[in-house]
Amino acid sequence: MTPLQGMRRASIDGQRNEGDSLFPLAFSCDQGAVTLDQFTGWTSESRDDLLALASQHGALAFRGFPTPTVDDFDAFIQALNLENFPYAKSLSNAVRINRTPRVFSANEAPPEVKIFFHHEMAQTPLYPKYILFYCEIAPESGGATPLCRSDILYAKLAEQCPEFAAKCESTGLRYTNVMPGIDDARSGMGRSWHSTLGVETKAEAEARLGELGYSFQWLADDCLKATTPQLPAVMETSPGKKTFFNQLIAAYCGWKDERNDPSDAIRHGDGTKLDPEAVMVAVQLAEQLAYDHQWQAGDIVLLDNTVAMHARRPFTGTRKVLASLAEMRTHAFDAVG
């Protein structure tokens, strides 16, 4: 990868040294050293190297580059030449607002709501390979985006809770959530079933759920309770390298609002309940391994969603962190493998 004039690899507060890699790998740029066209041109030329580095390290952080606006962030995304995964086509639980065809708000949940660690859309059959985050406005306080290397977490979990880790891998997981009839921005998982499924009518919703292999039940107040098919809890990203690719922590700890009870949100794929002590070990490991990205306006973070989990800390003031999803992938539980 040819270096860009004025750019360098940088240390960043809280950056972790995970043996053979830094997490995240960070780049900084001297103010005024390059133009946006130069930056996006370098990004396009370096695309394959950047994506390989994101997968190796889990995440790349860019600070000080000429990206003060959402359109600049959009230009960076386009320079990577990644297939867009539009929010409208996702099965995400979160309420989000599009700013460009590729960029939307990360989550509209209130600032006091903590969003727990998760791999984006691992609780659905469709997920993005990459996530890109961008800070338009940094909060007054708090509001960090914690990141965690899921491969390292799984290795430690397998050491400390071998039976639980093995059962997660051998049976997978099933997730249940209740979707409202209209978007509820008060909740971190308040996206309506109309929006989530991309449908207008209940008949269309039932047909879409059938295609996806979900079971479902209609509830009062136009709510829809849906349970996923058996989905993987562990992903082998390369031979011998496994990640804890799921939404176990988020579902168990955070899927709570007036419609949802975390105790009903997640089960092993065979229908049995999770060991609460083992779940808390996973929660604690994620926190121990976390890097908290403290946002500055203009920051960009590129995440390999199969390697690193992310979360959100509560905050005060105005915080505008935007996101983009790329390279839609599918996964299904393989009872043999």
Side-chain angles (χ1 to χ4, degrees):
M1 184 169 67
T2 304
L4 184 66
Q5 184 176 1
M7 183 194 80
R8 59 190 176 277
R9 292 194 181 187
S11 61
I12 193 168
D13 288 346
Q15 188 178 39
R16 298 181 60 87
N17 190 332
E18 301 293 3
D20 62 344
S21 67
L22 294 171
F23 180 65
L25 183 63
F27 298 93
S28 65
C29 185
D30 297 331
Q31 186 174 8
V34 298
T35 65
L36 177 64
D37 285 345
Q38 289 171 325
F39 179 43
T40 55
W42 171 83
T43 300
S44 180
E45 293 172 2
S46 307
R47 177 220 191 242
D48 292 346
D49 290 331
L50 290 172
L51 296 180
L53 287 171
S55 296
Q56 176 188 344
H57 294 266
L60 306 181
F62 298 86
R63 175 166 287 171
F65 288 84
T67 53
T69 72
V70 176
D71 287 339
D72 298 332
F73 174 49
D74 192 278
F76 172 81
I77 299 167
Q78 293 187 52
L80 285 170
N81 193 29
L82 294 169
E83 180 188 3
N84 188 27
F85 184 176
Y87 166 66
K89 291 187 177 180
S90 76
L91 298 172
S92 169
N93 297 341
V95 177
R96 310 181 189 209
I97 298 172
N98 269 93
R99 298 287 298 276
T100 78
R102 297 197 70 131
V103 178
F104 44 81
S105 56
N107 198 303
E108 290 296 306
E112 67 275 10
V113 173
K114 177 180 179 180
I115 298 174
F116 290 85
F117 275 111
H118 60 285
H119 284 280
E120 190 69 20
M121 298 180 206
Q123 85 285 16
T124 82
L126 314 174
Y127 67 90
K129 168 66 172 172
Y130 301 104
I131 311 172
L132 298 102
F133 291 111
Y134 170 76
C135 181
E136 184 179 23
I137 300 175
E140 290 178 12
S141 65
T145 294
L147 308 176
C148 172
R149 281 275 296 269
S150 191
D151 54 338
I152 297 172
L153 184 151
Y154 186 64
K156 291 182 178 293
L157 182 66
E159 290 176 0
Q160 296 185 33
C161 304
E163 292 182 3
F164 177 72
K167 184 160 186 178
C168 285
E169 186 169 356
S170 65
T171 70
L173 296 166
R174 294 181 190 270
Y175 305 84
T176 298
N177 79 297
V178 178
M179 295 174 272
I182 58 174
D183 285 349
D184 178 6
R186 299 169 300 168
S187 168
M189 48 182 304
R191 191 181 182 192
S192 72
W193 56 264
H194 295 278
S195 176
T196 302
L197 300 172
V199 299
E200 295 293 334
T201 68
K202 289 186 175 181
E204 290 172 340
E206 292 176 3
R208 178 64 172 147
L209 290 168
E211 293 171 359
L212 294 167
Y214 283 57
S215 59
F216 62 89
Q217 178 185 359
W218 292 103
L219 305 177
D221 300 324
D222 199 30
C223 291
L224 173 61
K225 182 177 183 179
T227 299
T228 69
Q230 205 169 357
L231 292 172
V234 177
M235 175 185 288
E236 188 169 34
T237 56
S238 61
K241 182 179 179 180
K242 296 178 179 180
T243 64
F244 201 48
F245 186 76
N246 55 62
Q247 286 223 1
L248 185 151
I249 294 173
Y252 196 92
C253 299
W255 284 16
K256 182 176 178 60
D257 60 17
E258 63 186 29
R259 294 170 297 277
N260 289 277
D261 179 351
S263 66
D264 291 330
I266 188 167
R267 294 281 189 277
H268 286 295
D270 60 6
T272 57
K273 291 187 176 182
L274 307 182
D275 176 351
E277 293 183 2
V279 172
M280 293 315 298
V281 171
V283 172
Q284 292 160 7
L285 284 171
E287 289 295 335
Q288 292 168 12
L289 296 168
Y291 155 78
D292 275 24
H293 190 81
Q294 305 289 347
W295 290 106
Q296 295 182 16
D299 280 2
I300 294 173
V301 172
L302 167 61
L303 201 69
D304 184 327
N305 184 45
T306 67
V307 178
M309 292 188 281
H310 65 280
R312 189 193 78 175
R313 307 292 189 199
F315 62 93
T316 61
T318 300
R319 176 189 188 270
K320 288 192 177 180
V321 173
L322 308 176
S324 181
L325 309 179
E327 303 287 343
M328 185 183 78
R329 305 287 169 84
T330 63
H331 68 154
F333 185 77
D334 181 356
V336 177

